[in-house]
Amino acid sequence: MAEIQEVNGPVGFSDLKALQFDKNTWPRDLTRQSSSTSGVSSEGCTPLASRSSSPVFTRLIDKINQRIALNERWFSIEFFPPRTANGAVNLLSRFDKFLEGGPLFCDVTWHPAGNPEGDSATSSLTIASSALNYCGLDTMLHLTCARQTKEKIRNTLRRAKDLGIKSVLALRGDAPDGDEWTFNSDGFNYATDLVKFIRQEFGDFFVICVAGYPHGHPEAESFEQDILHLKQKVDAGADFIITQLFFQASTFLKFLSACRKAGITVPIIPGILPIQGYHSLKNLVKLSGLQVPKDIIDVVEPIKDNDEAIRNYGIHLSTQICRELFDSGRVLGLHFYTLNREIATREIAKNLGLWCNELQRPLPWKPTANHTRVKEDVRPIFWATRPKSYVYRTQDWDEFPNGRWGNSNSPAFGEMKDYYLFYLRSNATKDQMIKQWGEELTCEQDVFDVFSCYLSGEPNRYGNKVTRIPWNDDEIAPETQRLCKNLVELNKQGILTINSQPNVNGEDSTDPVVGWGPPGGFVYQKAYLEFFTSRDNMEALLEVLRDYPQVNFHIINHTGTENIRNSDEFKPIAVTWGVFPGAEIIQPTVVDTISFQYWKDEAFGLWKEKWAKIYPEMSASRQIINHIHDTYYLINLVDNHYPKGNVIFEILQKMLKSKANPKRSIFSIDELDSAKKMKMDEEKNGDVE
Amino acid sequence: MAEIQEVNGPVGFSDLKALQFDKNTWPRDLTRQSSSTSGVSSEGCTPLASRSSSPVFTRLIDKINQRIALNERWFSIEFFPPRTANGAVNLLSRFDKFLEGGPLFCDVTWHPAGNPEGDSATSSLTIASSALNYCGLDTMLHLTCARQTKEKIRNTLRRAKDLGIKSVLALRGDAPDGDEWTFNSDGFNYATDLVKFIRQEFGDFFVICVAGYPHGHPEAESFEQDILHLKQKVDAGADFIITQLFFQASTFLKFLSACRKAGITVPIIPGILPIQGYHSLKNLVKLSGLQVPKDIIDVVEPIKDNDEAIRNYGIHLSTQICRELFDSGRVLGLHFYTLNREIATREIAKNLGLWCNELQRPLPWKPTANHTRVKEDVRPIFWATRPKSYVYRTQDWDEFPNGRWGNSNSPAFGEMKDYYLFYLRSNATKDQMIKQWGEELTCEQDVFDVFSCYLSGEPNRYGNKVTRIPWNDDEIAPETQRLCKNLVELNKQGILTINSQPNVNGEDSTDPVVGWGPPGGFVYQKAYLEFFTSRDNMEALLEVLRDYPQVNFHIINHTGTENIRNSDEFKPIAVTWGVFPGAEIIQPTVVDTISFQYWKDEAFGLWKEKWAKIYPEMSASRQIINHIHDTYYLINLVDNHYPKGNVIFEILQKMLKSKANPKRSIFSIDELDSAKKMKMDEEKNGDVE
């Protein structure tokens, strides 16, 4: 006789229950979905570490604790504000490169002497905000309180909050110019005061980090006393600790033990200084009041004029220290003092298996790290090569479309007049641009050739490689390579392409060229091409398009008075999407009429702002560019039949063949010279900076 | 010398400008996208006519005017409330069948004697609301005002509005029982009064139709006088006119001319009565006060006892009249008095090319016609075979997810206790159910066999075909055929499937089996299977699933105390989606945890409410069903690797092979009998109605 079995609870599959996923994890957490079923990795590179985790945490301390829970290693990187605006532009390029390695966060030091809370390109706040908003690095801002009023600190923190910064490293700060420290009975005397103040004024909004001193603070009465001070900082509300530099793993591990013994339970991250040069080492040692161990001095002194040798030694030494720290089993994260340089930190991180060189893209475009945009999952394709500009122009949006573009008709795009904002600037000089784009333009064909050289990699007629165009400051994307041969031919004939993507029909989401998102998915693209071309071409194109109803098009002139399309103004067209396990379809890139009209101003504007202005005001070269700006059309084409190949090139070949009036297709400088009655460009702005 | 060409406006492509699409057209308007470029069809069937147009209009008069603008023909259908609840259930099946033909709307007559504004299954309001909300037919309600108070009319209109009815046919109504008409100085005397009252009280909310009398109203002083009355009704605010029946096209055309001459400009729709029987003809003629032409009587009288012959004559006659109307070039729409029957109207509509037999589905599920749900574009797959139940349970939602399921966590599903609401009822009798599902069940295998016979089409052991199961009142869907062989085998072995779909990898949106949405698109599905099965099977399944990380699963028992899954509670999984030109991805079917928990109650409940209750309370048969209800699990599986085939059957075969405890897999009646201490089902509700 069988008995009726009562079923009150799960039997024998409790571990499967753990497969349940947490809330608020869309979309970037998807990356961890597959690994969570196969156990936790405790070694080496954790893909998407800095930008994606499951669940998605926006608070830095949560991210750190998650790594601890998952027993995953990570690294972070420290920078200081550069002295010049050009330096700031270069530092941003470095941020972009560091991002590829997958750091958990970066931090930016506070330069009390350099108006750190100001608006200049070199202020601590600007650099930190740029790293966060435009480079996609989660960013912590240093803040020192010595000799500051509460009002000033409050204002600085409010501004930081407005900019999206959610983490602060609270420091006392040194007395200026080596003065003795004086007690301030009405203000901030210790970092503890600052921690308390931040908690009191801003509650839990900020994650607060404080500094630990493995060698003891230079002003501390004793090592033990210093640990007690640290305990006070934590008790006042600090979330975690980053240590000052040290020269031996044992120094840190002893300090760590002392902290734990004193009841400090928050994460303690060792600060690692890769020695990169003799003078920087001496300077840092002076600032920190530390003694460099004799065995290090013995190595460095003889090679003090050979920076590369010192750097290699520094890489070797730091790698060794970090390995010891990891081997102790008590360290997961490492904080690198980069000194704003890339190589040493990158090499150490690579040696340790922390550098994720082949980072799986979470989305086909680079997300910002600003927590207000954590749910942003769709962008118009137009800004594909100008993501910083897109972030800048949408910085005031209250919310970001979640799951679909939907509300593209409501939020207005910010004005694109600030072509010279440092974080939107090219890091090329005017001289470099002239070399690449032509010292003198004599006809439109000269312009066509710049475009085709950029795509082909062949030198221009001055023998210079064209590594950028006004619409694209970077090398061409790997996926553009798939189209490159066709694009070069088109550009030579005056179809000046600025954005493109090939059709993709269900390739693996891990594909190194077109893949994005978590593994196990399938990605798709509709073929897309955006270009400037002449009126003749445009008219011929319209005729050809009659035979291709599967193609959506937008055609617009620089004023917007001509605006021809065959798609619904309020209906975005998904051009990139992905299908992933356990999720809705993700459609992160769209073509839509409304944002195209905003993009049009920017795209046309770049002809004048970035290109025309490198030439003298009345020069023929400038006239050529202005003529293109004034008479060309900006056109985009979407081939909706993505499983069936790409008809866009076929269409454009037909257009070139069928041009109504081929003799007018190229407009030469001779014609321009004769046209004295031509209305000159009225733009009176100065030259490119 | 070339001159600089000024570009002020488009040249030579003004017709292409017309390709711009209108707003508010998502998603069902997509259907017209391709035809709009190729010109307007003026002949024959217009796919998706009743449910889709571009742009999507929710007001009936806008739909009619759109057809006029597009020169497209259409038809509509009239019904009267049946006398019994069973009749109402059958009428709903008829609505479903008529819907396939693509009528523009239906209307439901007002039975003043039958409590037409009541809540019963047979009231005019209930039938009209059911047609609209549950059958997806845009519906107009008749309303008569004779001897009604303003308060009562106001309340009726308010209720109609609440139910989603937006169109009213305003009538005076006949004096009851053939009484003479008496003037009511304080109330409604003419339909004009009612039209004025509706406009006054409800503004433009309702579309108002009024009746026209091609033969003149029986009480009218003259034909001319009657046209003047009609003009008054229109001037009072009527949007269009439907005429009383007539017997010759010329009667209508003459009436139409007279109306236009009198300044009536609104659409005038001829009312067509297919003669379907001798007695109904006599009755109608009596009610309308019309004379039947002698040539018709001469045909009908001799065959008055042969309904089929009369019907065939009626089909012939009406087809002829309608052809004459169309040939006049002055008629696009036809209104059929169906007398609640299907064949005659359908055949006439087919003869005229108005019946859309192969209607392209706008979405993979049947939308309701309620204007509040016009943007509804996603539903959980669970209710795939019970769409009316889904509409019922979500009728109180304020808004419907637009573009994505997104807010599945906020709106609560209505309770599913009303298994006997007439519009949710099966139109099978208890006797039919017993014959199909087994006069006596002796073991679980008997139940398995019912499921497998339903899928295979083979007779059950009593020799009866199983045409329905409690979860599915209809024949199995064409796409289920693709899986049928596998499903039959599984059901025989106790995997009791209630919902399924094959994987689909980018088939044409016009595919007759799996296609939906406008042409030119590509549709996709993840393979899905939902079934009940025993605990043994479930445990074996969990083991097998460890090897299939690409499969999402939900497993739940009837109380919900066991709830095992590997997907995010708040993250729906798209299982059907489509990619269309000029649009975002449409993902109309999802699997999600939250609605699965609501569905679970309904799915388990159907065992008891629909199946167990056809057997006597203490019977072994009922115990078998209750045992399944109490101990089985409801499971769904989604194979995320849709381009790579379907692993679900492979998984279930492995499960069947690896069952931990095969001897307990089938639970026989002998075991049940011995288990006297078994807690009996406490459900005390009565038998199935």
Side-chain angles (χ1 to χ4, degrees):
Chain A
M1 181 187 99
E3 66 182 29
I4 307 289
Q5 193 181 341
E6 282 289 335
V7 180
N8 294 322
V11 178
F13 37 78
S14 57
D15 53 336
L16 271 154
K17 277 209 158 180
L19 293 190
Q20 294 182 19
F21 287 46
D22 281 327
K23 199 179 171 180
N24 296 326
T25 56
W26 197 84
R28 280 160 237 172
D29 63 305
L30 284 165
T31 52
R32 209 172 288 279
Q33 184 154 316
S34 59
S35 69
S36 67
T37 59
S38 59
V40 161
S41 103
S42 62
E43 280 296 321
C45 162
T46 54
L48 284 164
S50 68
R51 289 170 292 187
S52 306
S53 49
S54 171
V56 169
F57 290 120
T58 59
R59 289 173 64 79
L60 179 52
I61 183 61
D62 294 335
K63 294 182 193 176
I64 292 172
N65 284 328
Q66 187 186 37
R67 294 311 176 96
I68 293 169
L70 296 173
N71 199 30
E72 283 179 355
R73 292 174 183 171
W74 55 271
F75 72 104
S76 54
I77 42 180
E78 181 165 312
F79 302 95
F80 54 81
R83 283 162 203 265
T84 65
N86 272 339
V89 172
N90 290 331
L91 184 57
L92 258 60
S93 308
R94 203 147 297 156
F95 289 163
D96 288 338
K97 284 181 187 155
F98 265 113
L99 183 72
E100 292 168 13
L104 192 66
F105 67 94
C106 75
D107 58 338
V108 176
T109 63
W110 192 250
H111 269 202
N115 191 20
E117 71 279 13
D119 276 334
S120 78
T122 58
S123 82
S124 296
L125 255 187
T126 303
I127 295 295
S129 161
S130 303
L132 178 87
N133 288 294
Y134 298 103
C135 302
L137 286 166
D138 194 359
T139 303
M140 178 162 73
L141 178 70
H142 290 220
L143 185 58
T144 63
C145 59
R147 295 172 209 241
Q148 300 296 311
T149 64
K150 290 187 173 176
E151 192 52 31
K152 196 168 179 190
I153 294 286
R154 189 184 292 117
N155 285 340
T156 299
L157 287 166
R158 278 192 193 144
R159 286 210 53 222
K161 186 178 171 184
D162 287 346
L163 292 167
I165 294 164
K166 285 175 74 94
S167 306
V168 169
L169 176 56
L171 296 161
R172 187 192 70 181
D174 299 309
D177 301 329
D179 283 5
E180 280 293 294
W181 181 255
T182 50
F183 190 82
N184 179 352
S185 59
D186 195 30
F188 300 102
N189 289 295
Y190 303 106
T192 308
D193 300 337
L194 180 56
V195 173
K196 281 182 188 162
F197 179 78
I198 298 172
R199 282 282 171 259
Q200 185 187 310
E201 298 276 321
F202 294 90
D204 281 337
F205 180 82
F206 289 105
V207 169
I208 303 176
C209 178
V210 291
Y213 299 87
H215 289 284
H217 192 279
E219 293 172 28
E221 292 164 31
S222 67
F223 184 79
E224 291 69 28
Q225 195 61 37
D226 198 46
I227 298 282
L228 286 181
H229 281 307
L230 183 56
K231 176 80 162 59
Q232 284 167 2
K233 290 198 272 190
V234 173
D235 290 347
D239 293 299
F240 71 106
I241 295 163
I242 292 178
T243 76
Q244 194 48 273
L245 63 94
F246 51 88
F247 296 101
Q248 285 171 311
S250 60
T251 309
F252 173 82
L253 294 171
K254 184 183 149 227
F255 170 76
L256 181 62
S257 298
C259 289
R260 297 297 181 230
K261 201 172 162 192
I264 297 172
T265 57
V266 299
I268 301 175
I269 318 303
I272 308 295
L273 173 76
I275 296 172
Q276 306 194 52
Y278 183 74
H279 294 290
S280 70
L281 175 64
K282 281 196 84 167
N283 196 37
L284 235 113
V285 163
K286 182 186 155 203
L287 281 172
S288 63
L290 297 183
Q291 289 291 331
V292 183
K294 186 168 178 303
D295 52 339
I296 296 179
I297 292 180
D298 286 348
V299 176
V300 170
E301 278 287 351
I303 54 170
K304 67 180 178 184
D305 295 324
N306 185 343
D307 277 359
E308 199 183 335
I310 292 186
R311 189 177 67 204
N312 287 342
Y313 170 66
I315 291 170
H316 166 78
L317 187 66
S318 291
T319 301
Q320 209 165 31
I321 293 171
C322 295
R323 285 214 172 105
E324 279 182 61
L325 292 172
F326 281 155
D327 289 346
S328 76
R330 302 168 68 193
V331 170
L332 288 170
L334 301 170
H335 186 69
F336 289 104
Y337 297 107
T338 67
L339 308 181
N340 285 15
R341 295 180 203 166
E342 189 190 335
I343 297 174
T345 301
R346 187 188 65 209
E347 292 307 310
I348 298 164
K350 281 185 177 175
N351 289 343
L352 298 167
L354 298 176
W355 187 271
C356 300
N357 223 342
E358 294 188 3
L359 202 65
Q360 170 89 351
R361 297 183 298 170
L363 287 166
W365 36 264
K366 188 175 83 173
T368 149
N370 190 309
H371 62 101
T372 61
R373 301 177 78 128
V374 73
K375 290 191 172 174
E376 182 182 19
D377 57 13
V378 55
R379 290 185 182 178
I381 196 171
F382 317 123
W383 282 269
T385 58
R386 293 177 59 78
K388 291 184 174 73
S389 162
Y390 182 76
V391 169
Y392 171 70
R393 298 188 64 175
T394 59
Q395 63 187 337
D396 294 329
W397 288 12
D398 286 335
E399 55 177 344
F400 286 85
N402 188 7
R404 69 192 303 262
W405 188 234
N407 293 322
S408 66
N409 50 339
S410 45
F413 286 80
E415 288 287 320
M416 189 55 203
K417 288 182 173 159
D418 304 315
Y419 291 92
Y420 308 112
L421 283 171
F422 91 94
Y423 41 80
L424 304 182
R425 248 173 64 187
S426 165
N427 56 9
T429 63
K430 179 176 166 181
D431 190 48
Q432 287 172 316
M433 293 188 232
I434 287 179
K435 279 185 178 159
Q436 296 193 9
W437 302 342
E439 287 165 26
E440 200 189 344
L441 304 173
T442 59
C443 60
E444 287 165 271
Q445 186 65 53
D446 288 350
V447 176
F448 304 172
D449 293 343
V450 170
F451 279 82
S452 63
C453 288
Y454 171 66
L455 285 159
S456 68
E458 284 174 20
N460 64 14
R461 63 189 171 107
Y462 304 94
N464 303 317
K465 234 183 145 181
V466 180
T467 61
R468 49 170 58 84
I469 53 173
W471 302 267
N472 196 341
D473 219 28
D474 295 313
E475 284 173 37
I476 55 174
E479 67 171 328
T480 309
Q481 303 286 3
R482 292 193 182 183
L483 308 172
C484 219
K485 198 163 157 256
N486 282 311
L487 293 177
V488 169
E489 285 311 306
L490 292 177
N491 278 277
K492 278 182 185 165
Q493 295 176 80
I495 295 164
L496 306 177
T497 62
I498 58 172
N499 272 310
S500 63
Q501 69 176 21
N503 65 312
V504 171
N505 185 23
E507 295 192 30
D508 266 11
S509 61
T510 52
D511 181 88
V513 175
V514 296
W516 53 273
F522 304 95
V523 297
Y524 295 82
Q525 293 181 178
K526 292 180 180 174
Y528 175 77
L529 191 65
E530 184 182 342
F531 54 93
F532 293 98
T533 204
S534 68
R535 182 181 180 86
D536 283 345
N537 281 339
M538 182 275 287
E539 289 182 13
L541 176 64
L542 274 174
E543 282 304 315
V544 177
L545 283 171
R546 291 176 184 272
D547 297 331
Y548 292 88
Q550 79 268 36
V551 173
N552 282 111
F553 60 85
H554 287 84
I555 298 174
I556 200 162
N557 67 344
H558 75 110
T559 56
T561 50
E562 291 180 81
N563 188 353
I564 311 155
R565 59 189 155 81
N566 67 344
S567 60
D568 186 313
E569 182 176 2
F570 296 94
K571 211 151 89 179
I573 303 165
V575 290
T576 307
W577 65 100
V579 185
F580 298 96
E584 290 184 278
I585 315 303
I586 304 176
Q587 33 188 330
T589 320
V590 296
V591 165
D592 81 299
T593 299
I594 294 172
S595 59
F596 183 61
Q597 286 166 23
Y598 286 97
W599 163 247
K600 172 262 296 176
D601 292 333
E602 184 168 335
F604 275 104
L606 289 163
W607 280 111
K608 293 196 153 189
E609 299 296 329
K610 293 274 184 189
W611 197 332
K613 286 187 179 175
I614 65 175
Y615 304 114
E617 208 164 327
M618 298 295 291
S619 65
S621 299
R622 194 188 269 211
Q623 284 180 44
I624 293 276
I625 298 296
N626 284 343
H627 171 72
I628 289 177
H629 169 275
D630 293 346
T631 66
Y632 274 36
Y633 290 76
L634 181 62
I635 298 176
N636 68 52
L637 302 176
V638 175
D639 178 2
N640 288 292
H641 284 188
Y642 60 95
K644 302 179 177 172
N646 179 353
V647 295
I648 291 178
F649 295 118
E650 178 183 310
I651 287 170
L652 293 173
Q653 288 304 334
K654 283 194 189 172
M655 173 196 90
L656 289 170
K657 272 186 201 158
S658 76
K659 255 187 297 179
N661 194 359
K663 71 179 188 300
R664 283 190 38 72
S665 66
I666 306 246
F667 197 90
S668 82
I669 188 67
D670 302 323
E671 293 173 309
L672 257 181
D673 280 341
S674 320
K676 291 296 180 195
K677 62 187 182 299
M678 172 184 158
K679 183 170 149 279
M680 292 302 292
D681 167 34
E682 284 161 328
E683 184 63 70
K684 293 291 179 216
N685 292 337
D687 262 6
V688 173
E689 197 190 330
Chain B
M1 183 188 97
E3 64 183 33
I4 306 289
Q5 192 181 342
E6 281 289 334
V7 180
N8 293 321
V11 178
F13 37 80
S14 58
D15 54 335
L16 272 154
K17 278 209 158 182
L19 294 190
Q20 294 183 18
F21 286 44
D22 280 327
K23 199 179 170 179
N24 296 327
T25 57
W26 197 84
R28 280 160 239 172
D29 64 306
L30 285 166
T31 50
R32 209 171 288 280
Q33 183 155 315
S34 59
S35 69
S36 67
T37 60
S38 59
V40 161
S41 104
S42 62
E43 278 298 320
C45 163
T46 54
L48 284 164
S50 69
R51 290 169 291 187
S52 306
S53 50
S54 170
V56 170
F57 290 120
T58 58
R59 287 175 65 79
L60 180 51
I61 183 61
D62 295 335
K63 295 182 193 177
I64 292 172
N65 284 328
Q66 187 186 37
R67 295 311 176 96
I68 293 168
L70 297 173
N71 199 30
E72 282 179 355
R73 292 174 182 171
W74 54 271
F75 72 104
S76 54
I77 42 181
E78 181 164 314
F79 301 95
F80 55 80
R83 283 163 203 265
T84 66
N86 273 339
V89 172
N90 290 332
L91 184 57
L92 259 58
S93 308
R94 203 148 296 158
F95 290 163
D96 288 338
K97 283 180 188 157
F98 265 114
L99 184 71
E100 292 168 13
L104 193 65
F105 68 94
C106 76
D107 59 336
V108 176
T109 63
W110 193 250
H111 270 202
N115 190 21
E117 71 278 13
D119 276 334
S120 79
T122 59
S123 83
S124 296
L125 255 188
T126 302
I127 295 294
S129 161
S130 303
L132 179 87
N133 288 295
Y134 299 103
C135 302
L137 286 167
D138 193 359
T139 303
M140 178 164 72
L141 178 70
H142 289 219
L143 185 59
T144 62
C145 59
R147 296 174 208 239
Q148 300 295 311
T149 64
K150 291 187 171 175
E151 192 53 32
K152 195 166 179 190
I153 294 285
R154 190 185 291 116
N155 284 339
T156 299
L157 287 166
R158 278 191 193 144
R159 285 211 54 224
K161 186 179 171 183
D162 288 346
L163 292 167
I165 294 164
K166 284 175 74 93
S167 306
V168 169
L169 177 55
L171 296 161
R172 187 191 70 182
D174 298 311
D177 301 329
D179 283 5
E180 281 291 294
W181 182 256
T182 50
F183 189 83
N184 179 351
S185 60
D186 196 28
F188 300 101
N189 289 296
Y190 304 106
T192 308
D193 300 337
L194 180 56
V195 174
K196 281 182 187 161
F197 179 79
I198 298 172
R199 282 281 170 259
Q200 184 187 312
E201 297 277 318
F202 294 89
D204 281 338
F205 180 82
F206 288 106
V207 170
I208 304 176
C209 178
V210 291
Y213 299 88
H215 290 285
H217 192 279
E219 295 172 27
E221 293 164 30
S222 66
F223 182 79
E224 291 68 29
Q225 196 62 36
D226 199 45
I227 298 283
L228 286 181
H229 280 307
L230 184 57
K231 176 81 163 58
Q232 285 168 1
K233 289 197 270 190
V234 172
D235 290 346
D239 294 299
F240 71 106
I241 296 162
I242 292 178
T243 77
Q244 194 48 273
L245 63 95
F246 51 88
F247 295 102
Q248 284 169 313
S250 59
T251 309
F252 174 82
L253 295 170
K254 184 181 151 230
F255 170 75
L256 182 61
S257 298
C259 289
R260 296 300 181 227
K261 201 172 164 191
I264 297 172
T265 57
V266 299
I268 302 175
I269 319 301
I272 308 295
L273 173 76
I275 296 172
Q276 304 193 53
Y278 183 73
H279 295 290
S280 70
L281 177 64
K282 280 197 85 167
N283 196 35
L284 236 113
V285 163
K286 181 185 156 207
L287 282 172
S288 63
L290 297 183
Q291 291 290 331
V292 182
K294 186 167 177 303
D295 52 339
I296 294 179
I297 292 180
D298 286 349
V299 176
V300 171
E301 279 286 352
I303 55 170
K304 67 180 179 186
D305 295 324
N306 184 344
D307 276 358
E308 200 183 336
I310 293 187
R311 189 177 68 203
N312 287 342
Y313 170 66
I315 291 170
H316 167 77
L317 187 66
S318 291
T319 302
Q320 210 164 33
I321 293 172
C322 295
R323 284 215 173 106
E324 278 182 61
L325 293 172
F326 281 154
D327 290 347
S328 75
R330 301 167 69 193
V331 170
L332 288 169
L334 301 170
H335 187 70
F336 290 104
Y337 297 108
T338 67
L339 308 181
N340 286 14
R341 295 179 205 168
E342 187 190 337
I343 296 174
T345 300
R346 187 187 65 210
E347 291 308 310
I348 297 163
K350 281 185 176 174
N351 289 343
L352 298 166
L354 298 176
W355 188 270
C356 300
N357 224 341
E358 294 188 2
L359 203 64
Q360 171 90 351
R361 297 183 297 168
L363 287 167
W365 37 264
K366 189 175 82 172
T368 149
N370 190 309
H371 62 100
T372 61
R373 300 177 78 127
V374 73
K375 289 192 172 175
E376 181 181 19
D377 57 13
V378 55
R379 291 185 182 178
I381 197 171
F382 316 122
W383 281 270
T385 57
R386 292 178 59 77
K388 292 185 173 73
S389 164
Y390 182 76
V391 170
Y392 171 69
R393 299 188 63 176
T394 59
Q395 64 186 336
D396 293 328
W397 288 11
D398 285 335
E399 54 178 344
F400 287 86
N402 187 7
R404 69 192 304 261
W405 188 236
N407 293 322
S408 64
N409 50 339
S410 45
F413 286 81
E415 288 286 321
M416 188 56 202
K417 288 181 174 160
D418 304 314
Y419 291 92
Y420 309 111
L421 284 170
F422 91 95
Y423 41 80
L424 305 182
R425 249 173 62 185
S426 166
N427 56 12
T429 63
K430 180 176 166 180
D431 190 48
Q432 287 172 315
M433 293 188 233
I434 287 179
K435 279 187 179 156
Q436 296 193 10
W437 302 342
E439 287 165 27
E440 200 189 345
L441 303 174
T442 59
C443 60
E444 287 165 89
Q445 186 66 51
D446 288 350
V447 176
F448 303 171
D449 293 343
V450 170
F451 279 82
S452 64
C453 287
Y454 170 67
L455 286 159
S456 69
E458 284 173 21
N460 64 14
R461 64 189 169 109
Y462 305 96
N464 303 318
K465 234 184 146 181
V466 180
T467 62
R468 50 170 59 85
I469 53 173
W471 300 267
N472 196 341
D473 219 29
D474 295 313
E475 284 173 38
I476 55 173
E479 66 171 327
T480 308
Q481 303 286 4
R482 293 193 182 184
L483 307 173
C484 219
K485 199 164 156 254
N486 281 311
L487 292 177
V488 169
E489 285 311 307
L490 291 177
N491 278 278
K492 279 181 183 163
Q493 295 175 81
I495 295 163
L496 306 177
T497 62
I498 58 172
N499 271 311
S500 63
Q501 69 176 22
N503 65 312
V504 171
N505 186 23
E507 295 192 29
D508 266 10
S509 62
T510 52
D511 181 89
V513 175
V514 296
W516 53 273
F522 304 95
V523 296
Y524 294 83
Q525 293 180 179
K526 292 180 180 175
Y528 175 77
L529 191 64
E530 184 181 342
F531 54 93
F532 293 99
T533 203
S534 67
R535 181 183 179 84
D536 284 346
N537 280 341
M538 181 275 286
E539 289 181 12
L541 176 63
L542 273 175
E543 283 303 317
V544 177
L545 282 171
R546 290 176 184 272
D547 298 332
Y548 293 88
Q550 79 268 36
V551 173
N552 281 111
F553 60 85
H554 287 84
I555 298 174
I556 201 161
N557 67 344
H558 74 111
T559 56
T561 50
E562 290 180 82
N563 188 353
I564 312 157
R565 60 190 154 82
N566 67 344
S567 61
D568 186 313
E569 182 176 2
F570 296 94
K571 213 151 87 178
I573 303 166
V575 289
T576 306
W577 65 101
V579 185
F580 299 95
E584 290 184 277
I585 315 303
I586 304 176
Q587 32 187 330
T589 321
V590 295
V591 164
D592 80 299
T593 299
I594 293 172
S595 59
F596 182 61
Q597 285 164 27
Y598 287 97
W599 163 248
K600 171 263 295 176
D601 292 334
E602 184 167 335
F604 276 104
L606 289 163
W607 281 112
K608 293 196 152 188
E609 298 297 329
K610 292 275 183 186
W611 198 332
K613 286 188 178 172
I614 64 175
Y615 304 113
E617 207 164 327
M618 299 296 290
S619 65
S621 299
R622 194 188 268 213
Q623 284 179 44
I624 293 276
I625 298 297
N626 284 343
H627 170 72
I628 289 176
H629 169 273
D630 293 344
T631 65
Y632 273 36
Y633 291 75
L634 181 62
I635 299 176
N636 67 52
L637 302 176
V638 175
D639 178 3
N640 288 292
H641 284 188
Y642 60 95
K644 301 179 178 171
N646 179 352
V647 295
I648 291 179
F649 295 118
E650 179 182 308
I651 287 170
L652 293 172
Q653 287 305 334
K654 283 193 189 174
M655 174 197 89
L656 289 169
K657 272 187 200 159
S658 76
K659 255 187 296 180
N661 194 357
K663 71 179 190 298
R664 284 190 37 74
S665 67
I666 306 248
F667 197 89
S668 81
I669 189 66
D670 302 324
E671 293 174 309
L672 257 182
D673 280 341
S674 321
K676 292 293 182 198
K677 61 186 182 298
M678 173 183 154
K679 184 168 148 281
M680 291 302 291
D681 167 33
E682 285 162 329
E683 184 62 69
K684 294 291 179 215
N685 291 338
D687 262 4
V688 173
E689 199 190 330

